[in-house]
Amino acid sequence: MAVSKGTVFTLKSYRTQAEVYDLTQLISAIYFRGYNGLTKIQRTEWKNRGVSTLHAIFISITSLYFVFWSDLFSEHHSAELITFRNSPLSTFALGVSVGYFISDLGMIFWLYPYLGGVEYIVHHSLSAIAVSYSMLTGEGQLYTFMVLISEVTTPEINMRWYLDIAGLKRSNAYLINGIVIFFAWLVARILLFVYMFYHVYLHHDQVMKMHTFGFLLVYGVPSALATMNLMWFGKILKGLKKTLAKKPQSIL
């Protein structure tokens, strides 16, 4: 039975993540004195967030490239419908992302609920299904990359956890991190989603020519994720206000 290139990329992603997992442990043990003093489950989450950060950096840069700089999805680059355009490089990037979401979902189930509750399971499940479909069929890759740009907020979220574990919750670095998260979330997970929905509206006729399941994914998954993003944004805003109220001198 033939194996698609996307599936091969996903399997390679699994192996790469395992290597990054081990490398994160090695680097952390050398450069962070308190690492060996963490509990077993804290060390597991520490390494898991290292993999998460690497994936986020890779896929957010790749997604920004395809959405805003590459000619692949340019309006005037090709006569082919924008919803059916893809390339070996775009499929490779999605394969890497599928591998990450599936493996991280497995970690969430394994350590449930320490790495995240039901909302994380829903988020990762929807992401894995949508990205897998786009990777395997080549449909809707532009909108998949638009949504994946939101991963640009993940390194800041992980850094916040690292600062907390390192006992730096009252530091200026923690405050600055909270402000960066606020603006990054506003742009990448709120405003960019508005842009994506507007783009879908303008190209509704092309979206309608996708297979039924793909059409439903284009409208359903971003809508569900946007709702979750708004809920989390409310919590971020609340937390930032609380931090600023405790340290007003830090922003002077």
Side-chain angles (χ1 to χ4, degrees), residues 44-54 157-158 161-162:
T44 299
E45 182 168 4
W46 183 289
K47 292 179 287 186
N48 194 60
R49 287 181 181 272
V51 175
S52 170
T53 298
L54 182 63
I157 296 294
N158 288 338
W161 184 87
Y162 286 131

Side-chain angles (χ1 to χ4, degrees), residues 4 50 58 63 71 76 95 99-100 117 119 133 140-141 146 160 168 175 181 197 207 220 231 243:
S4 69
F58 167 78
S63 297
D71 288 332
H76 308 292
Y100 163 74
E119 68 275 14
Y133 179 85
Q141 289 197 0
M146 283 186 179
R160 194 165 189 79
L168 298 173
L175 175 62
I181 288 175
F197 287 127
V207 175
M231 294 172 59
T243 303

Side-chain angles (χ1 to χ4, degrees), residues 12 18 20 38 48-49 79 89 142 147 178 195 206 215 235 245:
K12 289 182 178 180
V20 173
L38 299 176
N48 194 60
R49 287 181 181 272
L89 181 59
L142 171 61
V147 173
Y195 170 74
Q206 297 187 40
F215 166 81
K235 295 180 179 180

Side-chain angles (χ1 to χ4, degrees), residues 5 20 32 42 47 112 116 150 153 159-160 183-185 202 213 220 224 228 237 249:
K5 289 184 178 180
V20 173
F32 178 58
Q42 284 177 328
K47 292 179 287 186
Y112 187 84
S150 62
T153 62
M159 178 57 68
R160 194 165 189 79
F183 285 107
W185 198 281
L202 293 179
F213 188 62
M228 297 175 69
L237 181 58
Q249 72 279 8

Side-chain angles (χ1 to χ4, degrees), residues 14-39:
Y14 288 144
R15 292 195 291 269
T16 301
Q17 289 178 58
E19 293 171 357
V20 173
Y21 197 82
D22 294 335
L23 183 61
T24 300
Q25 177 176 343
L26 177 62
I27 294 175
S28 299
I30 295 175
Y31 292 101
F32 178 58
R33 295 180 180 179
Y35 178 78
N36 292 324
L38 299 176
T39 64

